[in-house]
C-alpha cells in the first residue's frame, strides 16, 4: 500500500494525464464531427482552423488588432475595478451607501447585455461604446465582490491596527489589501473573463477600426468559418493569459497563507 | 492615567458605578479580580476602544498604546517575525526591525517559530507571539489582558520575569488585568483587587516585593496566592 506522499504524487500524475487527455479527446471529437458534417462552412476541421490561425497570426495587422482589443479590455476592466472599489468600499462600510446604490446596481445587473450594447452605440462612437458596455456588464460582479471583501475584514484585527497606531498607508498596504484580496479574487477573475467576452460582442456590433470583434464580423461576412474558429482560439489564448496574469498578481505571497488557513 | 467616577453598563449589568482609580506613570499596576468583573472593560477604556457612560478618563487614548488582547490578533498572512515587527517604528530599517523582532521572540522562547504563519502555531505559541508584539511596540503604555493565559506553568513563570524586566528596562507604564495571583505577585509594583461587578476596590497593595506580606493582605480579603 503506497504511503501518503506516494499516493499524493500518484493523484497529481493522474490529474496531469487527465488534463492532457481531455483536450485530445475534444480535438478528436471535433475532427470526427467535421468529417461527418463534411462542409467546412458549417464545421471546419481542426486542421483547417489551425491553417487559418497561422495565416491570421502571421498577418501584419495581427498585433495591432489583438493589441487594440486587449487595451480596450484592460481600460474597461480598470474603469470597472476603480468604480467598484470606490462605491463598493463605501457600501461595505456604510449601509446607507449600499441602500442608495441598491436600485442602480440591480438595474445594471438586470438589463440585457444586448440592450446595453445598443444604447451605447446610440450614445457613443464605435471606439467608446465597447468600453462602456464591458465596464457596465462587469461592474455589478466586482461591486458585489468588493462589498463582500470589506465585510470580511476582521474587526478585531482592525481594532489592533487602531490601538497600535498603525499609519494609514501601511494599514492599507499591509492590512486592508491582504484582507480583501482572497475575497476579491474569484469575483475579479469572473469579471475579467466576462469583460473579454462582452468586449468582443460589443466590437462585433460597433465595428471599431481595429479589434477582434471587427475581424469576427469580417470573417463572417466572407463566410470564412475556419477564420471565425481561429479568432475564437485567439480569444481563448488572450482570456487564459489575462487570467493567468491576474492569478499570479493576486496570488503572490498568499499561497502559503491560504494553504495554512485551509489546513 | 486617571479614571474618575466612571459609570459603565452593558444592558442591565452595571460594571462600573462611580468608580475611580489613579495609575501612576512608570510602574506596573495589576488588576486582580474574578472573571467578568470589568478588568478588560477598564483596559479597553484606557486604550480608547470603549467609552464610559459617564465619568472622566484621562488616559493615553489619543496616543498609540501597546495592547496584549485576550485573543492573539495576529495578521494571518504575515509570519510571526513580521507580525512582531509590524508594530515597530517603521522609520527604522527593515533588517534592524527584523533583528529586534527575532530577539524578542527569542526572549519569549519562540525563536524556532519566527518564520511560521499564525495558522501553524498552537494556542500558547500564538499567545507568546502576541506578547512579543506588545513588547515590540515603541508605545510608552503597555496594556496586558491575561498575559499568560494558555501558557503552561513553568514557562509562564519564566515569561513573567522576562516581561517584567523588559517593561521596567523601558520605564513603561503597565496596566495588567489578570485573575492569576502568581503572575500578579511576580510583575506588579501595585496590586488592585476588584470585587465582582459593580466594581469596587477591595484591596490596594503597593508593597509587592514581600511575597508573604502580599499573601497576608490577599488572605485578608479572602483571596489566596497559589503555592509556588
Amino acid at each position: 500500500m503506497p504511503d501518503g506522499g506516494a499516493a499524493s504524487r500518484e493523484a497529481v500524475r493522474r490529474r496531469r494525464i487527465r488534463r492532457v487527455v481531455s483536450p485530445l479527446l475534444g480535438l478528436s471529437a471535433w475532427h470526427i464531427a467535421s468529417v461527418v458534417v463534411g462542409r467546412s462552412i458549417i464545421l471546419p476541421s481542426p486542421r483547417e482552423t489551425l491553417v487559418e490561425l497561422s495565416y491570421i497570426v502571421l498577418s501584419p495587422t495581427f498585433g495591432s488588432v489583438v493589441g487594440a482589443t486587449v487595451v480596450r479590455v484592460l481600460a474597461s476592466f480598470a474603469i470597472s475595478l476603480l468604480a467598484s472599489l470606490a462605491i463598493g468600499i463605501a457600501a461595505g462600510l456604510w449601509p446607507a451607501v449600499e441602500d442608495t446604490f441598491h436600485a442602480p446596481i440591480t438595474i445594471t445587473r438586470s438589463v440585457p447585455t444586448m440592450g446595453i450594447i445598443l444604447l451605447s452605440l446610440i450614445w457613443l462612437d464605435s471606439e467608446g461604446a465597447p468600453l462602456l458596455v464591458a465596464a457596465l456588464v462587469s461592474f455589478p460582479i466586482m461591486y458585489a465582490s468588493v462589498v463582500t471583501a470589506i465585510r470580511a475584514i476582521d474587526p478585531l484585527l482592525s481594532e489592533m491596527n487602531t490601538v497600535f497606531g498603525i499609519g494609514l498607508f501601511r494599514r492599507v498596504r499591509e492590512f486592508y489589501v491582504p484582507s480583501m484580496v482572497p475575497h476579491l479574487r474569484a469575483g475579479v477573475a469572473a469579471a475579467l473573463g466576462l469583460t473579454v467576452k462582452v468586449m468582443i460582442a460589443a466590437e462585433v456590433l460597433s465595428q471599431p477600426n481595429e479589434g477582434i470583434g471587427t475581424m469576427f464580423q469580417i470573417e463572417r461576412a466572407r463566410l470564412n468559418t475556419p477564420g471565425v474558429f481561429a479568432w475564437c482560439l485567439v480569444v481563448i489564448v488572450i482570456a487564459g493569459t489575462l487570467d493567468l496574469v491576474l492569478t499570479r498578481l493576486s496570488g503572490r505571497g498568499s499561497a502559503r497563507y491560504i494553504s495554512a488557513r485551509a489546513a | 492615567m486617571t479614571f474618575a467616577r466612571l459609570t459603565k453598563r452593558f444592558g442591565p449589568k452595571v460594571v462600573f458605578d462611580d468608580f475611580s482609580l489613579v495609575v501612576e506613570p512608570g510602574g506596573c499596576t495589576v488588576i486582580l479580580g474574578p472573571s467578568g468583573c470589568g478588568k478588560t472593560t477598564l483596559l479597553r477604556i484606557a486604550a480608547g476602544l470603549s467609552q464610559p457612560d459617564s465619568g472622566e478618563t484621562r488616559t493615553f487614548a489619543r496616543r498609540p498604546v501597546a495592547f496584549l488582547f485576550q485573543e492573539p490578533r495576529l495578521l494571518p498572512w504575515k509570519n510571526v517575525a513580521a507580525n512582531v515587527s509590524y508594530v515597530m517604528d517603521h522609520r527604522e530599517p527593515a533588517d534592524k526591525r527584523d533583528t529586534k523582532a527575532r530577539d524578542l521572540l527569542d526572549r519569549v522562547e519562540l525563536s524556532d517559530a519566527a518564520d511560521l504563519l499564525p495558522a501553524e502555531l498552537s494556542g500558547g505559541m500564538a499567545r507568546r507571539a502576541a506578547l512579543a508584539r506588545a513588547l515590540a511596540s515603541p508605545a510608552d503604555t503597555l496594556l496586558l489582558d491575561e498575559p499568560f493565559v494558555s501558557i503552561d506553568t513553568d514557562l509562564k513563570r519564566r515569561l513573567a520575569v522576562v516581561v517584567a524586566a523588559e517593561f521596567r528596562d523601558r520605564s513603561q507604564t503597565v496596566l495588567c488585568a489578570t485573575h492569576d495571583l502568581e503572575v500578579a505577585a511576580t510583575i506588579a509594583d501595585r496590586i488592585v483587587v476588584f470585587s465582582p461587578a459593580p466594581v469596587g476596590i477591595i484591596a490596594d497593595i503597593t508593597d509587592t516585593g514581600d511575597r508573604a506580606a502580599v499573601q497576608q493582605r490577599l488572605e485578608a480579603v479572602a483571596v489566596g496566592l497559589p503555592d509556588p
Side-chain angles (χ1 to χ4, degrees), chain A residues 143-222:
Chain A
Y143 166 82
S145 291
V146 173
V147 172
T148 306
I150 284 287
R151 301 232 162 111
I153 290 174
D154 187 339
L156 296 182
L157 292 179
S158 191
E159 199 174 68
M160 181 275 291
N161 276 278
T162 303
V163 166
F164 280 97
I166 306 299
L168 181 64
F169 176 70
R170 215 152 54 76
R171 201 183 297 198
V172 169
R173 197 187 61 181
E174 297 185 47
F175 172 60
Y176 287 118
V177 170
S179 291
M180 291 174 68
V181 161
H183 301 277
L184 282 177
R185 191 177 299 168
V188 170
L192 183 59
L194 189 63
T195 302
V196 174
K197 284 192 271 193
V198 171
M199 180 63 71
I200 307 284
E203 284 180 349
V204 167
L205 288 177
S206 70
Q207 299 281 297
N209 285 335
E210 282 188 316
I212 294 174
T214 306
M215 299 313 296
F216 268 113
Q217 187 68 295
I218 291 170
E219 300 294 4
R220 190 198 66 84
R222 285 181 188 159

Side-chain angles (χ1 to χ4, degrees), chain B residues 194-211:
Chain B
F194 279 11
S195 66
V199 169
I201 295 174
I202 56 176
D204 192 340
I205 306 165
T206 48
D207 181 16
T208 58
D210 184 347
R211 189 182 171 85

Side-chain angles (χ1 to χ4, degrees), chain A residues 156-157 159-161 163-166 170-171 174-175 178-179 256-257 260-261, chain B residues 44 49 64-67 73-78 86-87 90 115 117 119-120:
Chain A
L156 296 182
L157 292 179
E159 199 174 68
M160 181 275 291
N161 276 278
V163 166
F164 280 97
I166 306 299
R170 215 152 54 76
R171 201 183 297 198
E174 297 185 47
F175 172 60
S179 291
R256 192 164 150 241
Y257 155 54
R261 208 168 54 151
Chain B
R44 291 181 61 80
L49 294 174
V65 296
F67 200 144
R73 303 197 189 186
L74 301 168
L75 299 178
W77 49 87
K78 285 183 180 287
Y86 183 63
V87 301
H90 271 54
D115 296 312
L117 291 172
E120 297 167 320

Side-chain angles (χ1 to χ4, degrees), chain A residues 98-152:
Chain A
E98 189 186 22
D99 295 342
T100 305
F101 281 93
H102 179 74
I105 298 286
T106 305
I107 290 168
T108 311
R109 193 184 290 135
S110 308
V111 171
T113 306
M114 199 50 71
I116 297 176
I117 293 174
L118 293 175
L119 285 172
S120 303
L121 284 171
I122 293 167
W123 294 333
L124 300 169
D125 61 14
S126 62
E127 298 292 329
L131 274 177
L132 178 67
V133 172
L136 279 177
V137 171
S138 62
F139 171 72
I141 297 172
M142 282 202 276
Y143 166 82
S145 291
V146 173
V147 172
T148 306
I150 284 287
R151 301 232 162 111

